[in-house]
Amino acid sequence: MISNIQQKYDQLTQAQKDIFAGYGLRQVKHFVEVNLPTITAILPDGAHVQGINAEGKLQALNSKSRKTYIWISDKQWQEKPASIHHIDSKEDFLKVWEVFNLQNHDLIDLSHVHRDFLESQTA
């Protein structure tokens, strides 16, 4: 189990707390350790991963050309107009992963940590 959850949670920005609450630690770990290496390996030239857009799709951007890409399958990026909606940034996911030291926890052990913690805050 994760120790000092409150102390770690207090280190997060509001955007990071929203990721914690909305995705949970299990999904954060999966995104950082499974999805990012896969999608980063086949990014279009010059693009970088921005994060997850409001539609729940991974989004990347080439800053020079201003082209945006959406991850459409397990193996492909597709050029698409930029989402003007909110994006949960890759950097915020990485910060949550780092603060909670998720590399040292198994996915299965993280399933309800965020829910149990948030419920204890409202009790």
Side-chain angles (χ1 to χ4, degrees):
M1 190 52 103
I2 296 177
S3 61
N4 303 322
I5 293 177
Q6 182 69 55
Q7 182 182 27
K8 291 173 181 170
Y9 182 79
D10 291 343
Q11 294 176 43
L12 303 177
T13 65
Q14 187 57 53
Q16 294 159 358
K17 287 177 181 177
D18 292 345
I19 287 171
F20 173 91
Y23 294 90
L25 295 178
R26 181 182 170 122
Q27 286 183 301
V28 169
K29 179 178 177 74
H30 190 272
F31 175 72
V32 171
E33 295 180 10
V34 176
N35 294 112
L36 275 180
T38 301
I39 64 173
T40 302
I42 58 172
L43 274 168
D45 287 339
H48 68 277
V49 176
Q50 291 180 292
I52 299 176
N53 67 25
E55 298 169 341
K57 302 211 184 257
L58 292 162
Q59 185 168 305
L61 171 70
N62 181 319
S63 299
K64 290 182 183 178
S65 71
R66 304 303 300 164
K67 289 182 181 179
T68 23
Y69 304 90
I70 301 296
W71 184 251
I72 61 165
S73 71
D74 288 342
K75 300 179 187 212
Q76 186 175 348
W77 287 98
Q78 180 180 48
E79 188 176 340
K80 184 176 179 184
S83 172
I84 57 172
H85 303 287
H86 173 78
I87 292 179
D88 293 322
S89 80
K90 174 185 82 173
E91 289 75 17
D92 285 334
F93 276 93
L94 290 169
K95 185 65 176 182
V96 172
W97 179 80
E98 175 188 313
V99 167
F100 285 93
N101 202 24
L102 297 182
Q103 69 273 14
N104 292 329
H105 297 278
D106 292 329
L107 277 175
I108 193 69
D109 296 333
L110 300 172
S111 293
H112 301 290
V113 173
H114 73 292
R115 184 196 66 204
D116 294 345
F117 172 75
L118 294 171
E119 284 177 359
S120 75
Q121 299 297 296
T122 60

